[in-house]
Amino acid sequence: MMSQTMPQTVTRLTLGRSVFSVNAYLITTDLGFVLVDTGTRGQRSKLAESLRTQGCGPGSLKLVLITHGDFDHIGSAAHLRSEFRAPIAMHEGDAQMATNGDMFSGRRRPNRLVRAVLSLVSRLPEADRFEPDVLLDEGSDLAEYGLAGARVLLLGGHSAGSIALLLADGSLLCGDVLENRKAPKLGSIMDDVGTAEAGVRRLKTMDVGMVYPGHGKPFEFADLLVPDLTVSTAP
Ligand SMILES: [Zn+2]
C-alpha cells in the first residue's frame, strides 16, 4: 500500500476570557506543528501550557503563521521564535504593526473611537516587536513547513495584510475577517468592508468547509450569515 501523508488536523487553543477571548490554532502536520496566531502577551503562559499539552516544543514547531498584525494575535510571536526557534510568517501589509508595535499602522480608516481606546492598551512592548522571517502572499507555498496542499489567501478587509490559510481538506483559518462571537459573520471591526465582502465572495467560489476564526467557535462556512452579499455572475 502507498504511504499516505498524514491529514493536517487543527486544534483550537482558546486564550483569555469573554471579550478578551482569542483563538490560536495548532495544526499538526507530518513534519510537526504550525501555530496560527499567538494571542496577547498576557496570555503567554496559557499558550505555553496549551502547546506543552499538545506535545509541541522546540524542534517540532516549524512555523508561527500570523493571520494579521493585531496585538491580540502577535503578542507571543517574538517570544516563541526565540524559545522555539521557529520562523514567523505574515503578510507584508501588516508587517509594520509588528515592527513598530502600533496596530493602526497601515490601516486606511482607523475608527477614531476604537483607536482612542485601544491605543492606550494595545501597543506592543518593544521586547515583543519583531521583523517577520517569511513574507507571505497570495499563493505562497508552505510545503516545507508541513502544509502541503495548503493555500495562502490575501483577504484584506480587517487590515491590509489580513490573510487566511485554506488547508487541503477545506479548513479555513481566517483571522478576524470572519468571527463567531455570537453568530458566524463578517468580523465586527473592519478597515475596509468592501474588500472584506469581496473576500467572502471569493471564498464562496472555493471548497471551504470548517472555518476557524480568530474569535469565537469554529463553524461551517455554509452557516456564515452574509445576507447582503450576492455572488457576482461571471461576465
Ligand atoms: Zn483579533
Side-chain angles (χ1 to χ4, degrees):
M1 203 176 120
M2 295 270 293
S3 70
Q4 300 256 310
T5 51
M6 201 171 97
Q8 296 153 7
T9 56
V10 180
T11 303
R12 179 187 179 203
L13 312 178
T14 312
L15 308 170
R17 286 165 192 274
S18 66
V19 291
F20 301 108
S21 176
V22 59
N23 299 319
Y25 293 101
L26 192 63
I27 307 174
T28 309
T29 77
D30 45 11
L31 296 185
F33 299 95
V34 172
L35 180 67
V36 177
D37 290 342
T38 68
T40 67
R41 172 188 167 82
Q43 295 160 346
R44 184 168 299 166
S45 57
K46 171 71 174 153
L47 175 65
E49 182 196 317
S50 301
L51 293 176
R52 260 197 310 277
T53 303
Q54 297 297 323
C56 175
S60 64
L61 182 64
K62 301 301 178 190
L63 185 69
V64 176
L65 188 151
I66 299 297
T67 59
H68 65 289
D70 279 340
F71 76 106
D72 57 334
H73 298 260
I74 66 171
S76 286
H79 176 78
L80 285 175
R81 175 165 67 187
S82 65
E83 293 282 304
F84 286 53
R85 298 181 299 280
I88 305 170
M90 68 189 296
H91 190 271
E92 194 173 18
D94 281 13
Q96 255 191 47
M97 295 156 87
T99 52
N100 67 18
D102 180 0
M103 66 187 280
F104 295 104
S105 30
R107 282 204 155 116
R108 297 199 330 177
R109 290 188 294 266
N111 176 300
R112 282 194 190 134
L113 178 66
V114 169
R115 181 172 191 136
V117 174
L118 286 183
S119 283
L120 298 170
V121 296
S122 68
R123 203 165 180 84
L124 200 68
E126 213 155 319
D128 295 323
R129 296 177 199 170
F130 60 89
E131 297 264 0
D133 304 287
V134 181
L135 289 178
L136 298 177
D137 206 345
E138 181 74 32
S140 292
D141 185 1
L142 297 173
E144 67 180 290
Y145 305 105
L147 293 177
R151 290 176 65 183
V152 172
L153 308 173
L154 176 59
L155 296 180
H158 177 69
S159 62
S162 279
I163 54 171
L165 182 65
L166 181 62
L167 301 183
D169 72 350
S171 298
L172 182 79
L173 297 97
C174 64
D176 288 0
V177 175
L178 305 174
E179 65 172 43
N180 188 20
R181 292 175 199 262
K182 288 185 177 141
K185 62 184 193 65
L186 210 60
S188 47
I189 298 174
M190 277 298 155
D191 189 41
D192 182 346
V193 175
T195 299
E197 289 176 346
V200 172
R201 279 196 292 272
R202 217 180 125 214
L203 291 173
K204 287 186 170 211
T205 68
M206 300 173 179
D207 279 327
V208 180
M210 280 303 284
V211 177
Y212 298 88
H215 300 273
K217 293 190 184 125
F219 59 94
E220 288 282 350
F221 185 66
D223 294 334
L224 183 70
L225 303 172
V226 280
D228 299 332
L229 290 187
T230 48
V231 177
S232 60
T233 50

Tab-separated table of all heavy atoms in Angstrom, residues 125-184:
chain	number	residue	atom	x	y	z
A	125	PRO	N	4.817	46.049	23.486
A	125	PRO	CA	6.094	46.455	24.094
A	125	PRO	C	7.267	46.124	23.167
A	125	PRO	O	7.180	45.181	22.372
A	125	PRO	CB	6.173	45.603	25.360
A	125	PRO	CG	4.807	45.088	25.594
A	125	PRO	CD	4.104	45.055	24.282
A	126	GLU	N	8.313	46.895	23.309
A	126	GLU	CA	9.445	46.756	22.403
A	126	GLU	C	9.980	45.324	22.337
A	126	GLU	O	10.335	44.825	21.266
A	126	GLU	CB	10.554	47.716	22.833
A	126	GLU	CG	11.330	48.222	21.643
A	126	GLU	CD	11.983	49.568	21.900
A	126	GLU	OE1	11.321	50.425	22.539
A	126	GLU	OE2	13.137	49.734	21.476
A	127	ALA	N	10.030	44.670	23.469
A	127	ALA	CA	10.585	43.307	23.518
A	127	ALA	C	9.772	42.319	22.682
A	127	ALA	O	10.275	41.262	22.298
A	127	ALA	CB	10.638	42.821	24.959
A	128	ASP	N	8.502	42.671	22.424
A	128	ASP	CA	7.635	41.748	21.686
A	128	ASP	C	7.467	42.125	20.217
A	128	ASP	O	6.740	41.471	19.480
A	128	ASP	CB	6.255	41.683	22.356
A	128	ASP	CG	6.333	41.084	23.747
A	128	ASP	OD1	7.147	40.151	23.935
A	128	ASP	OD2	5.601	41.539	24.639
A	129	ARG	N	8.147	43.190	19.814
A	129	ARG	CA	8.078	43.575	18.395
A	129	ARG	C	9.035	42.705	17.595
A	129	ARG	O	10.006	42.178	18.138
A	129	ARG	CB	8.442	45.054	18.235
A	129	ARG	CG	7.425	45.945	18.950
A	129	ARG	CD	7.795	47.407	18.870
A	129	ARG	NE	7.058	48.130	19.921
A	129	ARG	CZ	7.280	49.380	20.266
A	129	ARG	NH1	8.216	50.085	19.642
A	129	ARG	NH2	6.579	49.954	21.219
A	130	PHE	N	8.778	42.581	16.316
A	130	PHE	CA	9.627	41.686	15.512
A	130	PHE	C	9.523	42.011	14.032
A	130	PHE	O	8.547	42.613	13.578
A	130	PHE	CB	9.214	40.219	15.730
A	130	PHE	CG	7.789	39.928	15.348
A	130	PHE	CD1	7.440	39.554	14.052
A	130	PHE	CD2	6.765	40.057	16.286
A	130	PHE	CE1	6.121	39.306	13.700
A	130	PHE	CE2	5.435	39.812	15.946
A	130	PHE	CZ	5.121	39.430	14.656
A	131	GLU	N	10.550	41.595	13.318
A	131	GLU	CA	10.517	41.580	11.857
A	131	GLU	C	10.143	40.169	11.455
A	131	GLU	O	10.773	39.220	11.917
A	131	GLU	CB	11.920	41.859	11.284
A	131	GLU	CG	12.490	43.209	11.605
A	131	GLU	CD	12.245	44.208	10.490
A	131	GLU	OE1	11.630	43.831	9.465
A	131	GLU	OE2	12.648	45.372	10.662
A	132	PRO	N	9.137	39.997	10.611
A	132	PRO	CA	8.820	38.630	10.176
A	132	PRO	C	9.975	38.014	9.389
A	132	PRO	O	10.711	38.716	8.704
A	132	PRO	CB	7.580	38.806	9.299
A	132	PRO	CG	7.509	40.257	8.975
A	132	PRO	CD	8.243	41.003	10.049
A	133	ASP	N	10.123	36.702	9.527
A	133	ASP	CA	11.180	35.993	8.795
A	133	ASP	C	10.745	35.645	7.383
A	133	ASP	O	11.560	35.543	6.476
A	133	ASP	CB	11.530	34.686	9.528
A	133	ASP	CG	11.922	34.949	10.963
A	133	ASP	OD1	13.020	35.474	11.171
A	133	ASP	OD2	11.106	34.667	11.869
A	134	VAL	N	9.445	35.406	7.239
A	134	VAL	CA	8.899	34.970	5.951
A	134	VAL	C	7.740	35.898	5.606
A	134	VAL	O	6.840	36.082	6.426
A	134	VAL	CB	8.369	33.515	6.039
A	134	VAL	CG1	7.823	33.053	4.698
A	134	VAL	CG2	9.447	32.565	6.549
A	135	LEU	N	7.779	36.490	4.430
A	135	LEU	CA	6.647	37.313	3.997
A	135	LEU	C	5.746	36.463	3.112
A	135	LEU	O	6.180	35.907	2.099
A	135	LEU	CB	7.137	38.553	3.241
A	135	LEU	CG	7.831	39.612	4.113
A	135	LEU	CD1	8.308	40.780	3.250
A	135	LEU	CD2	6.911	40.108	5.232
A	136	LEU	N	4.503	36.332	3.537
A	136	LEU	CA	3.543	35.506	2.802
A	136	LEU	C	2.739	36.367	1.847
A	136	LEU	O	2.513	37.545	2.096
A	136	LEU	CB	2.585	34.816	3.778
A	136	LEU	CG	3.216	33.862	4.782
A	136	LEU	CD1	2.147	33.312	5.711
A	136	LEU	CD2	3.940	32.729	4.053
A	137	ASP	N	2.277	35.753	0.790
A	137	ASP	CA	1.379	36.447	-0.125
A	137	ASP	C	0.450	35.400	-0.737
A	137	ASP	O	0.664	34.192	-0.560
A	137	ASP	CB	2.173	37.180	-1.212
A	137	ASP	CG	1.400	38.374	-1.773
A	137	ASP	OD1	0.163	38.473	-1.530
A	137	ASP	OD2	2.008	39.190	-2.462
A	138	GLU	N	-0.564	35.881	-1.417
A	138	GLU	CA	-1.461	35.006	-2.149
A	138	GLU	C	-0.646	33.916	-2.855
A	138	GLU	O	0.278	34.232	-3.612
A	138	GLU	CB	-2.215	35.863	-3.176
A	138	GLU	CG	-3.211	35.147	-4.022
A	138	GLU	CD	-4.482	34.780	-3.264
A	138	GLU	OE1	-4.883	35.525	-2.347
A	138	GLU	OE2	-5.067	33.743	-3.602
A	139	GLY	N	-0.974	32.662	-2.568
A	139	GLY	CA	-0.343	31.566	-3.283
A	139	GLY	C	0.992	31.093	-2.729
A	139	GLY	O	1.616	30.205	-3.313
A	140	SER	N	1.471	31.656	-1.605
A	140	SER	CA	2.734	31.177	-1.032
A	140	SER	C	2.673	29.671	-0.775
A	140	SER	O	1.653	29.157	-0.339
A	140	SER	CB	3.017	31.879	0.307
A	140	SER	OG	3.302	33.235	0.117
A	141	ASP	N	3.778	28.994	-1.045
A	141	ASP	CA	3.851	27.544	-0.855
A	141	ASP	C	4.427	27.235	0.528
A	141	ASP	O	5.535	27.674	0.849
A	141	ASP	CB	4.732	26.941	-1.954
A	141	ASP	CG	4.759	25.423	-1.898
A	141	ASP	OD1	4.077	24.837	-1.013
A	141	ASP	OD2	5.453	24.810	-2.721
A	142	LEU	N	3.675	26.510	1.340
A	142	LEU	CA	4.107	26.233	2.712
A	142	LEU	C	4.471	24.769	2.914
A	142	LEU	O	4.532	24.283	4.048
A	142	LEU	CB	3.004	26.653	3.692
A	142	LEU	CG	2.668	28.156	3.687
A	142	LEU	CD1	1.448	28.440	4.551
A	142	LEU	CD2	3.853	28.972	4.181
A	143	ALA	N	4.724	24.058	1.820
A	143	ALA	CA	5.006	22.616	1.909
A	143	ALA	C	6.225	22.329	2.787
A	143	ALA	O	6.240	21.343	3.527
A	143	ALA	CB	5.218	22.039	0.508
A	144	GLU	N	7.227	23.205	2.744
A	144	GLU	CA	8.442	22.940	3.532
A	144	GLU	C	8.182	22.996	5.038
A	144	GLU	O	8.985	22.526	5.836
A	144	GLU	CB	9.564	23.915	3.155
A	144	GLU	CG	9.287	25.346	3.531
A	144	GLU	CD	10.439	26.293	3.148
A	144	GLU	OE1	11.503	26.203	3.770
A	144	GLU	OE2	10.245	27.110	2.226
A	145	TYR	N	7.045	23.580	5.430
A	145	TYR	CA	6.683	23.636	6.855
A	145	TYR	C	5.668	22.549	7.222
A	145	TYR	O	5.121	22.548	8.315
A	145	TYR	CB	6.120	25.021	7.202
A	145	TYR	CG	7.057	26.134	6.818
A	145	TYR	CD1	6.800	26.928	5.693
A	145	TYR	CD2	8.221	26.374	7.548
A	145	TYR	CE1	7.678	27.943	5.322
A	145	TYR	CE2	9.098	27.379	7.179
A	145	TYR	CZ	8.831	28.159	6.072
A	145	TYR	OH	9.695	29.154	5.690
A	146	GLY	N	5.371	21.672	6.287
A	146	GLY	CA	4.433	20.582	6.554
A	146	GLY	C	3.030	20.843	6.044
A	146	GLY	O	2.125	20.041	6.240
A	147	LEU	N	2.833	21.999	5.392
A	147	LEU	CA	1.486	22.347	4.932
A	147	LEU	C	1.334	22.139	3.424
A	147	LEU	O	0.923	23.049	2.690
A	147	LEU	CB	1.158	23.795	5.318
A	147	LEU	CG	1.012	24.055	6.822
A	147	LEU	CD1	0.762	25.535	7.092
A	147	LEU	CD2	-0.130	23.222	7.408
A	148	ALA	N	1.668	20.936	2.978
A	148	ALA	CA	1.494	20.618	1.560
A	148	ALA	C	0.018	20.743	1.188
A	148	ALA	O	-0.854	20.309	1.937
A	148	ALA	CB	1.987	19.204	1.287
A	149	GLY	N	-0.245	21.363	0.048
A	149	GLY	CA	-1.625	21.472	-0.423
A	149	GLY	C	-2.388	22.644	0.172
A	149	GLY	O	-3.517	22.915	-0.220
A	150	ALA	N	-1.780	23.348	1.134
A	150	ALA	CA	-2.462	24.500	1.744
A	150	ALA	C	-2.275	25.730	0.869
A	150	ALA	O	-1.285	25.852	0.147
A	150	ALA	CB	-1.914	24.767	3.142
A	151	ARG	N	-3.250	26.633	0.932
A	151	ARG	CA	-3.169	27.875	0.156
A	151	ARG	C	-3.232	29.075	1.081
A	151	ARG	O	-4.045	29.125	2.003
A	151	ARG	CB	-4.356	27.976	-0.818
A	151	ARG	CG	-4.309	26.996	-1.958
A	151	ARG	CD	-5.566	27.112	-2.799
A	151	ARG	NE	-5.677	28.421	-3.460
A	151	ARG	CZ	-6.721	28.772	-4.211
A	151	ARG	NH1	-7.721	27.938	-4.391
A	151	ARG	NH2	-6.744	29.958	-4.795
A	152	VAL	N	-2.393	30.052	0.796
A	152	VAL	CA	-2.484	31.339	1.491
A	152	VAL	C	-3.378	32.242	0.639
A	152	VAL	O	-3.182	32.366	-0.564
A	152	VAL	CB	-1.092	31.986	1.668
A	152	VAL	CG1	-1.223	33.401	2.220
A	152	VAL	CG2	-0.218	31.132	2.570
A	153	LEU	N	-4.373	32.846	1.281
A	153	LEU	CA	-5.286	33.754	0.580
A	153	LEU	C	-5.153	35.144	1.185
A	153	LEU	O	-5.249	35.307	2.405
A	153	LEU	CB	-6.743	33.287	0.745
A	153	LEU	CG	-7.054	31.831	0.390
A	153	LEU	CD1	-8.504	31.506	0.778
A	153	LEU	CD2	-6.826	31.577	-1.089
A	154	LEU	N	-4.922	36.134	0.364
A	154	LEU	CA	-4.903	37.515	0.857
A	154	LEU	C	-6.336	38.038	0.805
A	154	LEU	O	-6.890	38.259	-0.265
A	154	LEU	CB	-3.979	38.389	0.000
A	154	LEU	CG	-3.962	39.878	0.371
A	154	LEU	CD1	-3.513	40.102	1.816
A	154	LEU	CD2	-3.085	40.673	-0.591
A	155	LEU	N	-6.948	38.190	1.983
A	155	LEU	CA	-8.347	38.635	2.036
A	155	LEU	C	-8.455	40.134	2.328
A	155	LEU	O	-9.357	40.803	1.854
A	155	LEU	CB	-9.116	37.850	3.097
A	155	LEU	CG	-9.258	36.341	2.836
A	155	LEU	CD1	-10.039	35.687	3.968
A	155	LEU	CD2	-9.947	36.078	1.494
A	156	GLY	N	-7.538	40.674	3.131
A	156	GLY	CA	-7.634	42.083	3.498
A	156	GLY	C	-8.933	42.357	4.244
A	156	GLY	O	-9.540	41.462	4.821
A	157	GLY	N	-9.356	43.615	4.228
A	157	GLY	CA	-10.627	43.959	4.862
A	157	GLY	C	-10.458	44.365	6.314
A	157	GLY	O	-10.650	45.517	6.668
A	158	HIS	N	-10.093	43.415	7.148
A	158	HIS	CA	-9.867	43.719	8.569
A	158	HIS	C	-8.604	44.568	8.726
A	158	HIS	O	-8.530	45.461	9.558
A	158	HIS	CB	-9.764	42.414	9.349
A	158	HIS	CG	-9.472	42.599	10.810
A	158	HIS	ND1	-10.389	43.146	11.682
A	158	HIS	CD2	-8.369	42.337	11.544
A	158	HIS	CE1	-9.851	43.191	12.895
A	158	HIS	NE2	-8.623	42.707	12.836
A	159	SER	N	-7.615	44.256	7.921
A	159	SER	CA	-6.373	45.028	7.845
A	159	SER	C	-5.798	44.752	6.464
A	159	SER	O	-6.197	43.794	5.810
A	159	SER	CB	-5.383	44.597	8.928
A	159	SER	OG	-5.034	43.234	8.756
A	160	ALA	N	-4.832	45.584	6.047
A	160	ALA	CA	-4.297	45.444	4.680
A	160	ALA	C	-3.669	44.071	4.458
A	160	ALA	O	-3.727	43.514	3.369
A	160	ALA	CB	-3.271	46.540	4.417
A	161	GLY	N	-3.054	43.531	5.518
A	161	GLY	CA	-2.338	42.268	5.360
A	161	GLY	C	-3.055	41.083	5.973
A	161	GLY	O	-2.412	40.096	6.338
A	162	SER	N	-4.381	41.145	6.099
A	162	SER	CA	-5.132	40.010	6.655
A	162	SER	C	-5.138	38.854	5.667
A	162	SER	O	-5.660	38.975	4.559
A	162	SER	CB	-6.576	40.412	6.976
A	162	SER	OG	-6.666	41.089	8.209
A	163	ILE	N	-4.566	37.734	6.102
A	163	ILE	CA	-4.547	36.554	5.239
A	163	ILE	C	-5.343	35.431	5.885
A	163	ILE	O	-5.639	35.459	7.078
A	163	ILE	CB	-3.105	36.055	4.973
A	163	ILE	CG1	-2.353	35.820	6.281
A	163	ILE	CG2	-2.361	37.039	4.076
A	163	ILE	CD1	-1.005	35.115	6.083
A	164	ALA	N	-5.701	34.458	5.064
A	164	ALA	CA	-6.327	33.238	5.569
A	164	ALA	C	-5.509	32.069	5.046
A	164	ALA	O	-4.819	32.170	4.028
A	164	ALA	CB	-7.768	33.144	5.099
A	165	LEU	N	-5.594	30.976	5.763
A	165	LEU	CA	-4.931	29.747	5.348
A	165	LEU	C	-6.011	28.720	5.050
A	165	LEU	O	-6.839	28.418	5.912
A	165	LEU	CB	-4.021	29.261	6.484
A	165	LEU	CG	-3.199	28.009	6.214
A	165	LEU	CD1	-2.181	28.260	5.099
A	165	LEU	CD2	-2.480	27.563	7.486
A	166	LEU	N	-6.036	28.257	3.810
A	166	LEU	CA	-7.014	27.244	3.403
A	166	LEU	C	-6.282	25.913	3.267
A	166	LEU	O	-5.420	25.753	2.405
A	166	LEU	CB	-7.658	27.645	2.071
A	166	LEU	CG	-8.724	26.706	1.497
A	166	LEU	CD1	-9.931	26.594	2.419
A	166	LEU	CD2	-9.166	27.179	0.103
A	167	LEU	N	-6.618	24.975	4.147
A	167	LEU	CA	-5.958	23.668	4.117
A	167	LEU	C	-6.568	22.793	3.026
A	167	LEU	O	-7.665	23.064	2.528
A	167	LEU	CB	-6.071	22.968	5.480
A	167	LEU	CG	-5.463	23.734	6.665
A	167	LEU	CD1	-5.563	22.894	7.945
A	167	LEU	CD2	-4.011	24.110	6.388
A	168	ALA	N	-5.846	21.742	2.683
A	168	ALA	CA	-6.278	20.871	1.590
A	168	ALA	C	-7.659	20.275	1.835
A	168	ALA	O	-8.415	20.021	0.887
A	168	ALA	CB	-5.250	19.758	1.385
A	169	ASP	N	-8.054	20.095	3.098
A	169	ASP	CA	-9.368	19.487	3.399
A	169	ASP	C	-10.487	20.527	3.482
A	169	ASP	O	-11.620	20.200	3.853
A	169	ASP	CB	-9.299	18.678	4.698
A	169	ASP	CG	-9.197	19.564	5.936
A	169	ASP	OD1	-8.986	20.794	5.810
A	169	ASP	OD2	-9.338	19.026	7.051
A	170	GLY	N	-10.183	21.800	3.146
A	170	GLY	CA	-11.222	22.830	3.163
A	170	GLY	C	-11.293	23.622	4.455
A	170	GLY	O	-12.075	24.559	4.563
A	171	SER	N	-10.477	23.256	5.444
A	171	SER	CA	-10.444	24.032	6.688
A	171	SER	C	-9.868	25.414	6.398
A	171	SER	O	-8.859	25.532	5.711
A	171	SER	CB	-9.553	23.344	7.732
A	171	SER	OG	-10.059	22.081	8.054
A	172	LEU	N	-10.535	26.436	6.929
A	172	LEU	CA	-10.113	27.811	6.679
A	172	LEU	C	-9.780	28.493	7.997
A	172	LEU	O	-10.639	28.620	8.875
A	172	LEU	CB	-11.223	28.594	5.973
A	172	LEU	CG	-10.871	30.045	5.626
A	172	LEU	CD1	-10.007	30.097	4.364
A	172	LEU	CD2	-12.135	30.886	5.420
A	173	LEU	N	-8.530	28.933	8.134
A	173	LEU	CA	-8.128	29.701	9.314
A	173	LEU	C	-8.065	31.149	8.861
A	173	LEU	O	-7.220	31.515	8.042
A	173	LEU	CB	-6.783	29.198	9.838
A	173	LEU	CG	-6.846	27.737	10.319
A	173	LEU	CD1	-6.369	26.780	9.247
A	173	LEU	CD2	-6.073	27.542	11.599
A	174	CYS	N	-8.999	31.967	9.354
A	174	CYS	CA	-9.280	33.246	8.685
A	174	CYS	C	-8.972	34.474	9.516
A	174	CYS	O	-9.318	35.587	9.110
A	174	CYS	CB	-10.745	33.271	8.266
A	174	CYS	SG	-11.854	33.234	9.676
A	175	GLY	N	-8.336	34.318	10.670
A	175	GLY	CA	-8.061	35.500	11.492
A	175	GLY	C	-9.345	36.232	11.830
A	175	GLY	O	-10.352	35.608	12.169
A	176	ASP	N	-9.337	37.567	11.698
A	176	ASP	CA	-10.509	38.353	12.103
A	176	ASP	C	-11.357	38.823	10.918
A	176	ASP	O	-12.214	39.690	11.073
A	176	ASP	CB	-10.070	39.564	12.937
A	176	ASP	CG	-9.606	39.150	14.326
A	176	ASP	OD1	-9.622	37.934	14.627
A	176	ASP	OD2	-9.235	40.032	15.118
A	177	VAL	N	-11.153	38.249	9.752
A	177	VAL	CA	-12.011	38.589	8.609
A	177	VAL	C	-13.424	38.053	8.856
A	177	VAL	O	-14.413	38.691	8.514
A	177	VAL	CB	-11.420	38.043	7.300
A	177	VAL	CG1	-12.367	38.293	6.131
A	177	VAL	CG2	-10.069	38.701	7.020
A	178	LEU	N	-13.488	36.879	9.496
A	178	LEU	CA	-14.774	36.319	9.919
A	178	LEU	C	-14.686	36.062	11.423
A	178	LEU	O	-13.600	35.858	11.955
A	178	LEU	CB	-15.067	35.002	9.186
A	178	LEU	CG	-15.039	35.052	7.659
A	178	LEU	CD1	-15.210	33.645	7.080
A	178	LEU	CD2	-16.135	35.973	7.126
A	179	GLU	N	-15.837	36.072	12.080
A	179	GLU	CA	-15.835	35.795	13.523
A	179	GLU	C	-17.083	35.008	13.900
A	179	GLU	O	-18.033	34.916	13.113
A	179	GLU	CB	-15.798	37.105	14.322
A	179	GLU	CG	-17.059	37.946	14.139
A	179	GLU	CD	-17.128	39.160	15.066
A	179	GLU	OE1	-16.098	39.840	15.226
A	179	GLU	OE2	-18.223	39.422	15.606
A	180	ASN	N	-17.055	34.457	15.090
A	180	ASN	CA	-18.238	33.729	15.582
A	180	ASN	C	-18.370	33.934	17.086
A	180	ASN	O	-18.420	32.987	17.851
A	180	ASN	CB	-18.117	32.239	15.248
A	180	ASN	CG	-19.391	31.471	15.566
A	180	ASN	OD1	-20.478	32.057	15.692
A	180	ASN	ND2	-19.269	30.162	15.728
A	181	ARG	N	-18.413	35.218	17.491
A	181	ARG	CA	-18.565	35.514	18.920
A	181	ARG	C	-19.973	35.130	19.349
A	181	ARG	O	-20.160	34.432	20.326
A	181	ARG	CB	-18.313	36.993	19.201
A	181	ARG	CG	-16.854	37.420	18.983
A	181	ARG	CD	-16.736	38.937	19.171
A	181	ARG	NE	-15.532	39.484	18.575
A	181	ARG	CZ	-14.401	39.757	19.253
A	181	ARG	NH1	-14.324	39.510	20.523
A	181	ARG	NH2	-13.365	40.271	18.642
A	182	LYS	N	-20.949	35.612	18.588
A	182	LYS	CA	-22.342	35.250	18.883
A	182	LYS	C	-22.974	34.536	17.713
A	182	LYS	O	-23.883	33.741	17.868
A	182	LYS	CB	-23.145	36.496	19.235
A	182	LYS	CG	-22.768	37.015	20.600
A	182	LYS	CD	-23.638	38.190	21.028
A	182	LYS	CE	-23.274	38.632	22.432
A	182	LYS	NZ	-23.293	40.088	22.576
A	183	ALA	N	-22.521	34.858	16.521
A	183	ALA	CA	-23.013	34.224	15.299
A	183	ALA	C	-21.895	34.272	14.269
A	183	ALA	O	-21.045	35.165	14.312
A	183	ALA	CB	-24.246	34.979	14.789
A	184	PRO	N	-21.894	33.312	13.320
A	184	PRO	CA	-20.847	33.322	12.295
A	184	PRO	C	-21.086	34.426	11.275
A	184	PRO	O	-22.070	34.391	10.527
A	184	PRO	CB	-20.970	31.929	11.656
A	184	PRO	CG	-22.324	31.440	11.992
A	184	PRO	CD	-22.783	32.160	13.224
